[in-house]
């Protein structure tokens, strides 16, 4: 280790980073920043981990991954490979179990499906090293007796995991506490503090308080577009509402794997409940579950997994995914504003992508260029809206 590297470490040790947003992206990045020697503070306009990161289904695999560019598949694969270590780290340092389990994921295929995914799914799985099994209708029925008998065949990925989002958030919060990183709730950031040369010097809160920092990370989820506008740049992130219904399964009427078809999915949890998700609605920040949203989820149960029709409904909730026009996150520095970084727009994949986002962003902010090619996720990239991956029309 030469003199230069020591000097670099010393500089990193002094750096103060302000993280805006206590969702999974902000919280985990704050952990990695602190572990690499930075002083960190997390600012949260509401309560810790109560927005999209809390509401999500926790499936650790993109919906129809073959629709995404290869750069995204590589990023997600690298991220998922970090989950073993993250799980072990959180369990050993906090004692909290994120309830990660290998559920496998099954896509039933019907004769009247608008899209036949088989060919693309097979070549994507080969290219990105995911084991895929093609099941006959009989085999699919043996795996999942609650499935519709109308299906022709099914695609099955045995190695797909899920986590329980609230437990993951609790564990990361506990790790931050043990690292003595302050998380300030009810602290809404309304403006950047920057000098006339464009160097970021911190942020201002709604009540006028100034919080200084050498670097600022926007991890504000669905609220990032407004925050960017207030700070003088553009970030096309829109909230995409997702509604979820939770049902209580029983040993005769249950699922063994995650089942997914088009936008509907069913996630069997360790506690015997099944999460039915999720709507995709471009309706701004309109809160609450709706008759239409819940009806379409329950219709999907009747059509796809009729064996669950008699399950009791436990509760429902919703969240706002931070959607981008091309379905890809925005990760990196903001040109023209030295010290300003963003990590947002993770849309449907923020939990799957959180480990790599946190590792890359923390090192990058502290001066180490990423080893992965991040050009596809640059906040300054030319955006080509994607009908299948981007946010839906209003
Ligand atoms: C129904 C649903 C299902 C999903 N299923 C999955 C899935 O199966 N797998 C998967 O990987 N992903 C899934 N997702 C997506 C995933 O949950 C998100 O991509 C991820 O949670 C985004 O994390 P985040 O930290 O960026 O955002 P958030 O969790 O929304 O956190 C952002 C935080 O920033 C705070 N904030 C905003 N503005 C300010 C401000 N001005 N000042 C201070 N704080 C501010 C907010 O209050 C919020 O707490 C799902 C999402 C939903 C809604």
């Amino acid at each position: 280790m030469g003199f230069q590297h020591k000097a670099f470490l010393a500089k990193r040790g002094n750096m103060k980073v302000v993280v805006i947003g206590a969702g999974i992206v902000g919280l985990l990045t704050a952990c990695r920043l602190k572990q690499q020697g930075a002083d960190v503070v997390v600012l949260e306009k509401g309560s810790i981990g109560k927005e999209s990161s809390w509401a999500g289904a926790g499936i650790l695999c993109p919906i129809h991954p073959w629709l995404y560019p290869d750069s995204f598949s590589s990023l997600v694969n690298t991220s998922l490979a970090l989950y073993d270590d993250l799980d072990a780290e959180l369990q050993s340092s906090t004692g909290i179990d994120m309830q990660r389990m290998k559920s496998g994921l099954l896509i039933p295929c019907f004769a009247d499906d608008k899209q036949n995914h088989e060919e693309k799914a097979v070549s994507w799985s080969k290219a990105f090293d995911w084991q895929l099994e093609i099941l006959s209708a009989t085999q699919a029925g043996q795996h999942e007796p609650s499935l519709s008998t109308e299906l022709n065949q099914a695609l099955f990925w045995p190695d797909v995991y899920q986590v329980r989002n609230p437990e993951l958030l609790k564990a990361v919060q506990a790790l931050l506490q043990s690292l003595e990183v302050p998380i300030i709730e009810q602290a809404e950031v309304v403006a950047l503090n920057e000098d006339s040369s464009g160097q970021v010097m911190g942020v201002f809160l709604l009540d006028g308080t100034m919080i200084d920092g050498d670097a600022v990370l926007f991890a504000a989820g669905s609220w990032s577009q407004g925050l960017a506008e207030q700070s003088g740049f553009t970030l096309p992130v829109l909230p995409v509402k997702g509604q979820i219904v939770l049902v209580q399964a029983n040993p005769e009427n249950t699922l063994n794997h995650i089942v997914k078809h088009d936008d509907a999915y069913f996630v069997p949890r360790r506690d015997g409940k099944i999460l039915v998700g999720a709507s995709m609605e471009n309706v701004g920040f309109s809160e609450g579950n709706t008759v239409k949203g819940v009806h379409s989820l329950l219709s999907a149960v009747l059509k796809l997994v009729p064996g669950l029709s008699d399950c009791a409904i436990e509760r429902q909730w919703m969240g706002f995914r931070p959607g981008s026009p091309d379905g890809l996150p925005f990760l990196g520095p903001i040109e023209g504003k030295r010290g300003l970084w963003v990590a947002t727009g993770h849309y449907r994949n923020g939990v799957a992508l959180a480990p790599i986002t946190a590792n890359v962003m923390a090192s990058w902010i502290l001066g180490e260029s990423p080893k992965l090619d991040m050009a596809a996720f640059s906040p300054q990239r030319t955006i080509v809206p994607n009908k299948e991956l981007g946010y839906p029309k209003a």
Side-chain angles (χ1 to χ4, degrees):
M1 182 187 295
F3 166 77
Q4 242 185 346
H5 189 58
K6 273 191 196 143
F8 176 56
L9 283 181
K11 184 164 175 271
R12 292 185 358 158
N14 292 333
M15 190 159 181
K16 180 169 179 195
V17 186
V18 178
V19 175
I20 306 172
I24 189 61
V25 172
L27 293 173
L28 199 53
T29 309
C31 282
R32 299 309 183 217
L33 282 162
K34 178 72 181 189
Q35 287 167 329
Q36 292 189 45
D39 286 336
V40 193
V41 58
V42 182
L43 305 174
E44 167 54 51
K45 71 175 173 56
S47 304
I48 300 167
K50 286 290 178 294
E51 295 293 350
S52 189
S53 301
W54 176 88
I59 305 169
L60 298 185
C61 173
I63 308 275
H64 305 148
W66 46 90
L67 298 176
Y68 289 83
D70 288 356
S71 52
F72 178 90
S73 294
S74 301
L75 189 76
V76 93
N77 262 7
T78 312
S79 195
L80 296 181
L82 296 168
Y83 255 101
D84 268 347
D85 285 349
L86 177 63
D87 198 0
E89 178 189 5
L90 292 175
Q91 293 224 32
S92 70
S93 54
T94 72
I96 298 170
D97 176 5
M98 66 166 91
Q99 299 188 20
R100 177 168 169 261
M101 53 177 197
K102 197 182 195 175
S103 310
L105 184 150
L106 187 148
I107 299 187
C109 307
F110 296 90
D112 62 352
D113 275 350
K114 282 190 212 103
Q115 275 205 20
N116 182 347
H117 295 297
E118 185 182 332
E119 209 179 301
K120 284 182 184 157
V122 169
S123 60
W124 179 86
S125 302
K126 261 194 206 138
F128 290 96
D129 207 18
W130 282 75
Q131 195 192 331
L132 166 63
E133 294 166 22
I134 313 275
L135 306 180
S136 66
T138 315
Q139 287 169 324
Q142 285 160 354
H143 272 262
E144 292 295 359
S146 293
L147 270 180
S148 163
T149 50
E150 307 279 304
L151 60 86
N152 284 346
Q153 61 168 31
L155 308 174
F156 180 56
W157 288 264
D159 297 331
V160 171
Y161 284 77
Q162 61 162 297
V163 296
R164 187 85 180 270
N165 292 16
E167 302 309 309
L168 169 64
L169 287 161
K170 263 187 237 161
V172 177
Q173 188 185 343
L175 179 58
L176 278 168
Q177 258 154 13
S178 71
L179 294 167
E180 297 181 358
V181 172
I183 311 174
I184 309 176
E185 296 182 299
Q186 315 304 328
E188 181 171 351
V189 174
V190 290
L192 268 185
N193 182 17
E194 49 187 327
D195 69 14
S196 54
S197 75
Q199 171 64 51
V200 167
M201 298 169 70
V203 297
F204 291 102
L205 302 184
L206 188 58
D207 67 3
T209 310
M210 194 180 90
I211 311 272
D212 30 87
D214 308 303
V216 171
L217 174 67
F218 280 18
S222 291
W223 295 265
S224 300
Q225 170 157 275
L227 200 56
E229 259 166 36
Q230 287 158 22
S231 311
F233 67 101
T234 307
L235 204 57
V237 175
L238 284 189
V240 178
K241 179 170 168 178
Q243 301 191 41
I244 284 190
V245 174
L246 188 70
V247 301
Q248 174 66 61
N250 58 56
E252 290 79 46
N253 309 99
T254 189
L255 290 174
N256 304 305
H257 312 291
I258 300 166
V259 171
K260 186 168 70 122
H261 185 265
D262 294 339
D263 279 332
Y265 49 72
F266 313 94
V267 184
R269 297 195 325 204
R270 210 189 268 178
D271 60 5
K273 299 186 202 309
I274 297 178
L275 192 149
V276 181
S279 63
M280 297 278 287
E281 302 167 66
N282 186 341
V283 291
F285 288 105
S286 141
E287 300 263 354
N289 288 88
T290 60
V291 171
K292 199 166 134 196
V294 172
H295 176 260
S296 92
L297 296 175
L298 297 181
S299 302
V301 175
L302 297 178
K303 174 171 181 241
L304 301 166
V305 279
L308 303 182
S309 306
D310 292 325
C311 288
I313 293 173
E314 284 265 322
R315 58 184 294 220
Q316 63 268 321
W317 65 81
M318 45 103 354
F320 298 114
R321 308 173 185 90
S324 63
D326 55 6
L328 307 181
F330 296 102
L331 305 170
I334 295 298
E335 278 170 13
K337 293 189 182 288
R338 282 191 319 282
L340 182 60
W341 301 79
V342 301
T344 187
H346 291 76
Y347 200 11
R348 310 186 78 176
N349 302 297
V351 177
L353 289 174
I356 191 66
T357 299
N359 287 5
V360 166
M361 292 310 301
S363 303
W364 208 353
I365 291 169
L366 297 179
E368 250 173 63
S369 298
K371 290 179 190 75
L372 298 168
D373 182 358
M374 300 299 285
F377 315 111
S378 164
Q380 281 80 222
R381 67 182 178 263
T382 304
I383 294 187
V384 182
N386 183 312
K387 219 167 54 180
E388 287 171 310
L389 296 176
Y391 42 64
K393 282 204 174 120

